[in-house]
Amino acid sequence: MPDHAPPDVDVPSLTALLDGTYAEIRDLTRKRLVEHAQVLTDAREMPREEFRERVLQVVQELASTGQTGMGFPVQYGGGGDIGASIAAFETMAFGDLSVLVKVGVQFGLFGGAILQLGTKKHHDAYLERLVRAELLGCFAMTETGHGSNVQALGTVARYDVQTGEFVITTPDTISRKDYIGNAAAHAQVAVVFAQLVVEEESQGVHAFVVPIRDDEGRLLPGVRVEDDGRKIGLNGVDNGRIWFDEVRVPRDNLLNRYADVTEDGAYESTIDNPDRRFFTMLGTLVQGRVCVGGAGIYASKVALAIAVRYALQRRQFGSPGGPEELLLDYGLHQRRLFVPLARTYALHFAQEVLAGQLHAVFSATQEVDEHTRRALESRAAGTKALGTWHASTTIQECREACGGAGYLSANRFDALRADTDVFTTFEGDNHILLQLVAKGLLTDYSSSFGELDQLGMVRFVAGLAVETVIERTAVHKVLERIKDVLPGGDDDWDQEAGINDPAYQLAMFRWREEHMLAGVARRLKRGMDSGMEPAEVFSRCQGHVIGAARAHVERLVLEAFTDRTAAMPEGANKAALNLLCDLFALSTIEAERAWWMEHGRLSSARAKAITREVDELCRRIRPIAQDLVDAFGVPAEMQAAEMLADETTAV
Amino acid sequence: MPDHAPPDVDVPSLTALLDGTYAEIRDLTRKRLVEHAQVLTDAREMPREEFRERVLQVVQELASTGQTGMGFPVQYGGGGDIGASIAAFETMAFGDLSVLVKVGVQFGLFGGAILQLGTKKHHDAYLERLVRAELLGCFAMTETGHGSNVQALGTVARYDVQTGEFVITTPDTISRKDYIGNAAAHAQVAVVFAQLVVEEESQGVHAFVVPIRDDEGRLLPGVRVEDDGRKIGLNGVDNGRIWFDEVRVPRDNLLNRYADVTEDGAYESTIDNPDRRFFTMLGTLVQGRVCVGGAGIYASKVALAIAVRYALQRRQFGSPGGPEELLLDYGLHQRRLFVPLARTYALHFAQEVLAGQLHAVFSATQEVDEHTRRALESRAAGTKALGTWHASTTIQECREACGGAGYLSANRFDALRADTDVFTTFEGDNHILLQLVAKGLLTDYSSSFGELDQLGMVRFVAGLAVETVIERTAVHKVLERIKDVLPGGDDDWDQEAGINDPAYQLAMFRWREEHMLAGVARRLKRGMDSGMEPAEVFSRCQGHVIGAARAHVERLVLEAFTDRTAAMPEGANKAALNLLCDLFALSTIEAERAWWMEHGRLSSARAKAITREVDELCRRIRPIAQDLVDAFGVPAEMQAAEMLADETTAV
């Protein structure tokens, strides 16, 4: 047994490192959460209707403090700092998530659409009031039968040249707007995504501002709304369905940053290609995905903080006569909590990089090139997918690790799990998002076809020689990077380096990504060459496509973690993060070790050594586990877990 | 591409096969569920207090029809058929699970304890009224600080020889009874598990009948109850905490089937060894585990039936111009639903074998030997663990596969997921249960030490030569069975047989089980030999111990499936089940393929072939998927999924 003294973690300094650039904003947010801690209890005890009003009240109070408007321009009462708004949103995920999601609906989706898709006339008309939460709105994109495939929406907005109005219509039941937050009760205005028809010609999906309720909250003529009813979670948010029956809005209500209709009915756009136009419009809404992924990571921190603390109080079994053993002294319990703990740290740093890139792109004074924007959107999609799946599995594991106590709502896992459950679905279904990532990699972020058009991607890839695909794609860059870390570029790099060598771990991740991407390209091409329909080719390769995307995103996550720790000064905190980084890298390789073994990059002996090292890393993290969750800075009130009260579990 | 015509499944006949011996009971139960279908809506809409009363009402109505008393002796108003009672319980899992769990608490736990641990005087005093649900009771075993380790319970029952009474006391907060169903509101009587102290000497845990409420529902003196409050699910069940402050009950209230205290304070038992005595008492309660595992499997069927139907209605993406593709035509969607579908069938047949064995042992007219009882308990523990984890993951996957629609409570996944979540914890935490399975295998079901005493097991195994362990344990039987199916016994069996050959699949499962068990034995021995403390040895091997148990149970599951299909007449239904059996076997090998590769039993080429075959099996199951879920016979009312209404999703 190696004898390692555990690092003497400096918790406040580790918290400062995690809080990063926006430490002050995060601390302010923590204070706000503590002020509103009662809402966590209300979520459990209030009837649904009452709780919705309570959540609205909290959102309005937060808005009045500036907490929710940091990303809007200063001249409209905002904070003018996108990075700050993301940091504030992420940190709010420590608290009640209905509040968080209602904030996301009002300021992120509704406000974001007005800001990003509208022009000055819309900004002047709406932004100030919406930032103050005086004007409540909803984001009416998804329909019952059209979710991920936004380009296939059924709602129609026909331009009536006689009156200079758009006429919004729901043609059938599957085209009713559905799952729309703020729709069932509170929204006065909807941003409606609909097929624009001008002079009988369809111009694709565009967004329109459509008033749906008057000042007294009564629905306007032609608008029908139905409550979506109880949901698994987020019952403080009023999701609903909307039907439009020939609802007329003035021509000015088209959000016309990228396209417009002239008074006499001519369609105009600065972007000729309709797919690219649509892609560009959607792309401006990327912040929502960044926020949801971050929220998933922060919600995971709450669950881990509670479960680790419980495991350091609760005892079970042991030698006769002596005290029972603490749960956290069991090897399996360590694995159940520390592997997700390490991944939470890893995702935290990946999210930090992503949020920084988003801030840079959206705060740039010069036009940012399209390739950079597409790469950002891809990274946002991938991080959202991994961050939200991570939340689901981590919170669930923490619940189970706390046994019966974990099942009681007072102990927080109920709300954490139920409220985050839909994170894997909304703002883009995770599988679809990973397909988007793969498409970006395989086409080098071309936007010459629709955002989510997988069959277009199949045809595109199949139309090139495989070598060309690999050259044209991000793949060869990855290969070069393997050589960066292991300059020998030797075929035996996988045998020579130690498993705890970050260069080895990175090379393993990169090699997998490169190999999977090239493999997908070959399979798509082979499928098309064999005469199969593109839909069939895609269906057969779908798991591979998604696997390649996941490998890519995990490589980005590992790089973010490795870069961050490498930049730290030597000391206990660096040593602690290195343990976590090793655990993240090696547990990820362990989970997927069959793949590397199948592809000749991992011997049985080395695979077993990795499993042993994962166990050993868990044992080394055990003495500092409390510090590592304390560093998240989850306010005690947000951990308000009854079972952590000393008298209930301490022996 | 191989060209296989899909089997023309005979759905009613497949349902009959699945319903098995108790088809009539299951059909009767379906009728009852449909009569009470309104309770599914009530679960979503009623406030918690009101819903609890509603559930009680349903349970009492069911009791009046005989639905819930099938397992009790005829002379007390029961049906006298244990197998029937299990079939009825399993099938009830199609409906509201608060009703199911309240039935389990009243008739399984409370009633089962009176029946199995009590003697004629207790049966005469309680059974008839409890079978009619006139006398409501609870099963007060678990305490806040003592769950899985029942032998360490803190509640004390001291015999007062002066008055001939037991005095029940809760010594500290961690020893309050907790999570007790029926305790918060409805139970008049509790079966309390407590440390029996006679003449200052502790005799270990025994069960006592303790009245806690009078006929008007008021708590009796010395009894304090607290509501456990809102839970993740099962909010129709009134779970609570109980404290006892010197509560006195007559000597007759000791459930004295296995041990008694004479009037003048002498402790007597037919079983000398206290560990064995305790083990025997607990063993009689095995039916609860069998029922919970079965309920998990049946709840999974509901989720799969809904998700498959939705995937055959909902379209997304596709070639421009044409209709979009059905979700179920995507390769990944097929994998997401069909792999759990195959496993559901597999677990169904394993559960059928288990329920049959339980019925045989508990209906036997002669005394059943202890080894058979221990093996049954082990099988029940393992099947419960796999069945309930399967429910959690399957229902979750189905929810995600239905996207936003899956998040709405009306579409059933909410209740299914939330209500089954605690199945992995109650009636024995799944990890602990698998440890019990491993202990049984490694000690050949010895009961000479406590049921869950892992350290005793470590010492026992370490005290033998490894060869002895392997000889004494079930391991060598497994090895013989490999030879049974592959008589050559050749070292190259893993290369020669086709991957769809059941003999190959069985041999793979058996070889893994044997190798893992022998490996655990070696590691435990080596750990002890190196001078480590037993607790440390166990902590380090824990994952391996649990993995070995899981391998064992999965082998039993595959054997049950293979045996069942082998016995079927040739035809379409057999062909369909063979597809599912192959998919279960190969997807299980695929998921764990790294292990076989590490141990030299699976080549890279064969591993890849298995992955391709899993994909191919999914494509072949696609045309019969609707039939395969229809065969479960989930009443349409139990699938009451709003999203399946034709007008909402059909194009």
Side-chain angles (χ1 to χ4, degrees):
Chain A
M1 281 179 292
D3 182 40
H4 300 281
D8 186 16
V9 176
D10 177 347
V11 175
S13 143
L14 187 52
T15 301
L17 179 91
L18 290 169
D19 281 359
T21 316
Y22 294 102
E24 253 180 79
I25 297 286
R26 293 190 196 272
D27 257 346
L28 195 64
T29 305
R30 288 185 179 100
K31 285 206 190 81
R32 300 258 176 272
L33 290 175
V34 171
E35 284 161 19
H36 291 96
Q38 175 62 30
V39 75
L40 295 173
T41 310
D42 297 341
R44 297 195 291 274
E45 295 182 356
M46 281 183 177
R48 189 158 55 98
E49 303 294 320
E50 193 184 335
F51 184 55
R52 283 182 177 181
E53 298 309 314
R54 173 80 173 102
V55 167
L56 175 61
Q57 177 206 348
V58 174
V59 170
Q60 287 173 324
E61 284 175 21
L62 290 173
S64 73
T65 67
Q67 168 73 26
T68 56
M70 295 178 197
F72 290 96
V74 177
Q75 64 267 38
Y76 298 111
D81 188 330
I82 290 163
S85 81
I86 296 170
F89 191 87
E90 288 170 350
T91 312
M92 282 180 70
F94 287 161
D96 178 76
L97 297 170
S98 284
V99 170
L100 182 86
V101 168
K102 192 141 181 128
V103 163
V105 165
Q106 166 71 14
F107 307 100
L109 294 175
F110 170 58
I114 300 281
L115 178 66
Q116 298 294 341
L117 301 179
T119 51
K120 185 161 186 302
K121 63 184 176 187
H122 305 108
H123 299 168
D124 290 346
Y126 304 113
L127 282 186
E128 199 166 334
R129 288 190 304 140
L130 84 78
V131 167
R132 287 206 298 259
E134 286 165 17
L135 176 74
L136 296 172
C138 64
F139 181 83
M141 179 185 273
T142 299
E143 298 172 352
T144 302
H146 312 106
S148 296
N149 190 4
V150 179
Q151 281 185 293
L153 289 178
T155 304
V156 174
R158 186 175 51 78
Y159 183 64
D160 180 347
V161 71
Q162 306 301 322
T163 61
E165 292 170 318
F166 294 104
V167 187
I168 317 284
T169 303
T170 304
D172 48 33
T173 308
I174 65 167
S175 301
R176 69 186 182 195
K177 297 295 174 184
D178 208 348
Y179 322 117
I180 311 299
N182 264 359
H186 295 140
Q188 296 152 273
V189 166
V191 170
V192 177
F193 289 80
Q195 303 288 353
L196 170 61
V197 176
V198 186
E199 302 264 351
E200 309 301 312
E201 195 181 343
S202 179
Q203 299 292 348
V205 172
H206 291 69
F208 305 82
V209 179
V210 183
I212 60 170
R213 287 190 177 85
D214 65 17
D215 290 346
E216 273 75 50
R218 287 171 303 217
L219 288 170
L220 293 174
V223 177
R224 182 152 73 91
V225 163
E226 190 176 278
D227 199 312
D228 270 322
R230 180 167 287 282
K231 306 181 297 284
I232 288 178
L234 299 176
N235 280 300
V237 182
D238 53 316
N239 292 81
R241 300 172 178 130
I242 319 176
W243 290 255
F244 299 97
D245 181 14
E246 307 265 317
V247 174
R248 290 178 167 265
V249 297
R251 192 174 60 93
D252 272 347
N253 285 28
L254 169 64
L255 293 173
N256 64 338
R257 177 166 167 195
Y258 294 105
D260 210 346
V261 176
T262 63
E263 199 170 345
D264 52 355
Y267 179 78
E268 296 177 337
S269 173
T270 50
I271 306 174
D272 287 341
N273 180 313
D275 284 328
R276 216 183 119 211
R277 184 188 313 133
F278 178 71
F279 209 161
T280 304
M281 287 199 267
L282 279 194
T284 60
L285 306 174
V286 62
Q287 192 174 341
R289 288 179 183 161
V290 175
C291 283
V292 170
I297 298 163
Y298 274 67
S300 306
K301 294 178 182 181
V302 181
L304 285 164
I306 296 170
V308 166
R309 226 171 113 197
Y310 184 69
L312 286 167
Q313 284 185 199
R314 178 73 152 82
R315 293 174 180 276
Q316 193 165 260
F317 296 112
S319 304
E324 293 182 276
E325 300 278 323
L326 285 170
L327 294 188
L328 205 57
D329 284 327
Y330 285 94
L332 185 72
H333 215 86
Q334 292 169 7
R335 264 196 180 250
R336 292 171 76 182
L337 299 183
F338 298 164
V339 170
L341 177 67
R343 198 174 174 90
T344 301
Y345 269 87
L347 287 164
H348 172 97
F349 293 117
Q351 171 75 10
E352 188 178 55
V353 171
L354 171 65
Q357 290 178 350
L358 180 88
H359 180 78
V361 165
F362 278 75
S363 309
T365 46
Q366 297 169 338
E367 188 61 23
V368 175
D369 70 280
E370 200 172 304
H371 190 277
T372 303
R373 284 186 178 270
R374 293 295 94 83
L376 170 67
E377 289 156 20
S378 169
R379 185 163 191 148
T383 309
K384 185 270 185 184
L386 266 58
T388 56
W389 269 326
H390 178 68
S392 290
T393 54
T394 299
I395 298 166
Q396 182 62 28
E397 194 65 51
C398 289
R399 181 326 260 159
E400 293 182 28
C402 293
Y407 198 62
L408 303 186
S409 303
N411 290 325
R412 288 284 275 134
F413 298 113
D414 182 2
L416 284 168
R417 183 71 191 83
D419 292 345
T420 57
D421 185 52
V422 80
F423 286 15
T424 60
T425 297
F426 70 17
E427 289 284 332
D429 174 273
N430 283 358
H431 289 108
I432 306 277
L433 290 181
L434 288 180
Q435 289 174 195
L436 175 67
V437 170
K439 175 171 156 289
L441 292 169
L442 288 164
T443 64
D444 200 23
Y445 306 107
S446 161
S447 60
S448 58
F449 41 92
E451 186 197 29
L452 296 163
D453 175 9
Q454 296 299 327
L455 305 189
M457 185 267 283
V458 172
R459 286 195 202 89
F460 177 90
V461 172
L464 303 170
V466 169
E467 296 66 34
T468 318
V469 174
I470 294 173
E471 256 172 57
R472 280 190 65 142
T473 65
V475 171
H476 70 289
K477 292 168 206 153
V478 178
L479 274 178
E480 279 166 19
R481 290 200 190 190
I482 294 179
K483 291 186 188 146
D484 285 352
V485 291
L486 294 162
D490 192 275
D491 259 7
D492 293 335
W493 56 264
D494 52 332
Q495 301 299 321
E496 287 166 6
I499 55 177
N500 285 325
D501 182 345
Y504 166 75
Q505 297 162 0
L506 280 166
M508 286 286 278
F509 277 56
R510 288 169 181 170
W511 193 84
R512 173 176 63 149
E513 176 185 356
E514 179 275 335
H515 201 90
M516 288 191 86
L517 275 171
V520 167
R522 267 186 223 104
R523 278 185 68 182
L524 293 175
K525 203 172 154 55
R526 209 186 310 135
M528 288 295 283
D529 288 351
S530 77
M532 260 187 255
E533 288 298 312
E536 177 74 11
V537 173
F538 179 73
S539 172
R540 286 172 179 247
C541 299
Q542 192 181 14
H544 200 160
V545 166
I546 288 169
R550 190 194 291 257
H552 167 73
V553 185
E554 285 190 329
R555 190 261 297 171
L556 294 178
V557 172
L558 180 60
E559 284 182 355
F561 202 166
T562 310
D563 290 351
R564 194 70 189 82
T565 50
M568 287 171 73
E570 295 304 316
N573 284 8
K574 182 172 186 165
L577 289 191
N578 279 337
L579 290 176
L580 288 167
C581 190
D582 278 348
L583 181 56
F584 165 67
L586 294 180
S587 63
T588 301
I589 296 174
E590 185 195 30
E592 299 287 322
R593 66 195 190 282
W595 187 90
W596 280 281
M597 292 169 76
E598 280 169 356
H599 294 84
R601 275 293 170 203
L602 186 62
S603 66
S604 296
R606 197 166 259 249
K608 290 179 187 171
I610 286 172
T611 292
R612 279 194 303 274
E613 183 60 21
V614 168
D615 288 334
E616 174 64 20
L617 286 165
C618 287
R619 284 193 290 273
R620 291 179 61 192
I621 286 167
R622 162 69 185 85
I624 56 170
Q626 183 71 66
D627 291 341
L628 293 174
V629 293
D630 285 349
F632 291 147
V634 181
E637 292 81 353
M638 305 297 107
Q639 302 183 41
E642 210 174 58
M643 66 189 181
L644 298 179
D646 284 343
E647 71 273 15
T648 57
T649 46
V651 180
Chain B
M1 280 179 292
D3 181 40
H4 302 280
D8 185 15
V9 176
D10 177 346
V11 174
S13 142
L14 188 52
T15 301
L17 179 90
L18 290 170
D19 281 0
T21 316
Y22 294 102
E24 254 180 79
I25 297 286
R26 292 191 197 272
D27 256 346
L28 194 66
T29 304
R30 286 185 179 99
K31 283 206 191 80
R32 299 259 175 272
L33 290 176
V34 171
E35 285 162 19
H36 290 96
Q38 174 63 31
V39 74
L40 294 172
T41 310
D42 297 340
R44 297 195 289 274
E45 294 181 357
M46 282 184 177
R48 188 157 55 99
E49 303 294 321
E50 193 184 335
F51 184 57
R52 282 181 178 181
E53 299 308 313
R54 173 81 172 102
V55 167
L56 175 60
Q57 178 207 347
V58 175
V59 170
Q60 286 172 326
E61 284 174 22
L62 291 172
S64 72
T65 68
Q67 168 72 28
T68 55
M70 296 178 198
F72 291 95
V74 177
Q75 64 266 39
Y76 298 110
D81 189 330
I82 290 163
S85 80
I86 296 171
F89 191 86
E90 288 170 352
T91 311
M92 283 180 69
F94 286 162
D96 178 76
L97 298 170
S98 284
V99 170
L100 182 86
V101 168
K102 194 145 180 123
V103 164
V105 165
Q106 166 70 14
F107 306 100
L109 294 175
F110 170 58
I114 301 280
L115 179 66
Q116 299 294 341
L117 301 179
T119 51
K120 186 160 186 304
K121 64 184 175 185
H122 305 109
H123 299 170
D124 290 346
Y126 305 113
L127 282 186
E128 200 166 333
R129 288 190 303 141
L130 85 78
V131 167
R132 287 207 299 260
E134 286 165 16
L135 176 74
L136 296 173
C138 64
F139 181 84
M141 178 185 273
T142 299
E143 299 172 353
T144 303
H146 312 104
S148 297
N149 189 5
V150 180
Q151 281 185 294
L153 290 178
T155 304
V156 174
R158 186 173 52 78
Y159 183 63
D160 181 347
V161 71
Q162 306 301 323
T163 61
E165 292 170 319
F166 294 104
V167 188
I168 317 285
T169 304
T170 304
D172 47 33
T173 308
I174 65 167
S175 301
R176 66 188 185 196
K177 296 296 173 185
D178 207 349
Y179 323 118
I180 310 301
N182 264 359
H186 296 140
Q188 296 153 271
V189 167
V191 170
V192 177
F193 289 80
Q195 302 289 350
L196 169 61
V197 175
V198 186
E199 302 262 350
E200 309 300 312
E201 195 181 344
S202 178
Q203 299 291 349
V205 172
H206 291 68
F208 304 83
V209 180
V210 183
I212 60 171
R213 285 188 177 87
D214 65 19
D215 289 346
E216 273 74 52
R218 285 171 304 217
L219 288 171
L220 294 174
V223 177
R224 182 153 73 91
V225 163
E226 189 177 278
D227 200 312
D228 270 322
R230 181 166 285 282
K231 306 180 297 283
I232 287 178
L234 299 178
N235 280 300
V237 182
D238 53 315
N239 293 80
R241 301 175 178 128
I242 318 177
W243 289 254
F244 299 97
D245 182 13
E246 309 265 316
V247 174
R248 287 175 170 266
V249 297
R251 193 173 60 91
D252 271 347
N253 285 29
L254 170 65
L255 293 173
N256 62 339
R257 177 166 167 197
Y258 294 104
D260 209 346
V261 176
T262 63
E263 199 171 347
D264 53 353
Y267 179 79
E268 296 176 338
S269 173
T270 51
I271 306 174
D272 287 339
N273 180 313
D275 284 326
R276 218 182 119 211
R277 184 189 311 135
F278 177 70
F279 209 160
T280 303
M281 288 198 264
L282 279 195
T284 61
L285 307 174
V286 62
Q287 192 174 339
R289 287 182 183 159
V290 175
C291 283
V292 169
I297 296 163
Y298 274 68
S300 306
K301 294 179 181 179
V302 181
L304 285 164
I306 296 170
V308 166
R309 226 171 111 198
Y310 184 70
L312 286 167
Q313 285 186 199
R314 178 72 154 82
R315 293 175 181 276
Q316 192 165 265
F317 296 111
S319 304
E324 294 181 277
E325 301 277 323
L326 285 171
L327 293 189
L328 206 57
D329 285 327
Y330 285 93
L332 185 71
H333 215 85
Q334 292 170 7
R335 262 196 182 247
R336 291 171 78 183
L337 298 184
F338 298 164
V339 170
L341 177 67
R343 197 174 175 89
T344 301
Y345 268 87
L347 286 165
H348 172 97
F349 293 116
Q351 171 74 10
E352 189 179 53
V353 171
L354 172 64
Q357 291 179 348
L358 180 88
H359 180 79
V361 165
F362 278 75
S363 309
T365 47
Q366 297 168 335
E367 188 61 25
V368 174
D369 71 278
E370 200 173 304
H371 190 279
T372 304
R373 285 186 178 270
R374 292 297 94 81
L376 171 67
E377 289 155 22
S378 170
R379 186 165 189 145
T383 309
K384 184 271 185 184
L386 265 59
T388 55
W389 270 326
H390 178 67
S392 290
T393 55
T394 299
I395 298 166
Q396 182 63 29
E397 193 65 51
C398 289
R399 182 325 261 161
E400 293 182 28
C402 294
Y407 198 63
L408 303 186
S409 302
N411 291 325
R412 290 282 276 134
F413 299 113
D414 182 1
L416 285 168
R417 183 70 189 85
D419 292 346
T420 58
D421 185 52
V422 79
F423 286 15
T424 59
T425 298
F426 70 18
E427 288 284 331
D429 174 272
N430 282 358
H431 288 107
I432 306 277
L433 291 180
L434 289 180
Q435 288 173 195
L436 176 67
V437 171
K439 175 171 157 289
L441 293 168
L442 288 164
T443 63
D444 200 23
Y445 306 107
S446 161
S447 60
S448 57
F449 40 92
E451 186 197 29
L452 295 163
D453 175 8
Q454 296 299 329
L455 304 190
M457 183 268 281
V458 173
R459 284 193 202 91
F460 177 90
V461 172
L464 303 169
V466 169
E467 296 66 36
T468 318
V469 175
I470 295 173
E471 257 172 54
R472 279 190 66 143
T473 66
V475 171
H476 70 290
K477 292 168 204 152
V478 178
L479 273 178
E480 279 166 18
R481 288 198 190 192
I482 295 179
K483 290 185 189 145
D484 284 354
V485 292
L486 294 162
D490 193 274
D491 259 7
D492 292 335
W493 58 264
D494 52 332
Q495 302 298 322
E496 288 165 6
I499 55 176
N500 285 326
D501 183 346
Y504 167 74
Q505 298 162 0
L506 280 167
M508 285 287 276
F509 277 55
R510 288 169 182 170
W511 193 84
R512 175 176 62 148
E513 177 186 356
E514 178 275 336
H515 201 90
M516 287 192 87
L517 275 171
V520 167
R522 268 186 222 102
R523 277 184 70 184
L524 293 176
K525 205 174 152 52
R526 208 186 310 134
M528 289 295 283
D529 288 351
S530 76
M532 262 188 253
E533 288 299 310
E536 177 73 12
V537 173
F538 179 73
S539 171
R540 287 175 177 242
C541 298
Q542 191 181 13
H544 200 160
V545 166
I546 287 169
R550 189 194 294 255
H552 167 73
V553 185
E554 285 190 330
R555 190 260 297 170
L556 294 178
V557 173
L558 179 61
E559 283 182 357
F561 202 166
T562 309
D563 290 351
R564 194 72 190 78
T565 50
M568 287 172 72
E570 294 305 317
N573 284 8
K574 183 174 185 162
L577 289 191
N578 279 337
L579 289 176
L580 288 168
C581 190
D582 278 348
L583 181 56
F584 165 67
L586 294 180
S587 63
T588 302
I589 295 174
E590 186 195 31
E592 299 286 322
R593 67 196 190 282
W595 187 89
W596 279 281
M597 293 170 76
E598 282 170 354
H599 295 82
R601 275 292 171 204
L602 187 63
S603 66
S604 297
R606 196 165 259 249
K608 289 179 187 170
I610 286 173
T611 292
R612 280 193 303 273
E613 183 62 20
V614 168
D615 287 334
E616 174 63 21
L617 286 165
C618 286
R619 283 192 290 273
R620 292 181 61 192
I621 286 167
R622 163 68 184 84
I624 56 169
Q626 183 72 66
D627 292 340
L628 294 174
V629 293
D630 285 350
F632 293 146
V634 181
E637 291 82 352
M638 305 297 108
Q639 301 183 40
E642 211 175 57
M643 65 189 183
L644 298 179
D646 285 344
E647 72 273 15
T648 56
T649 46
V651 180

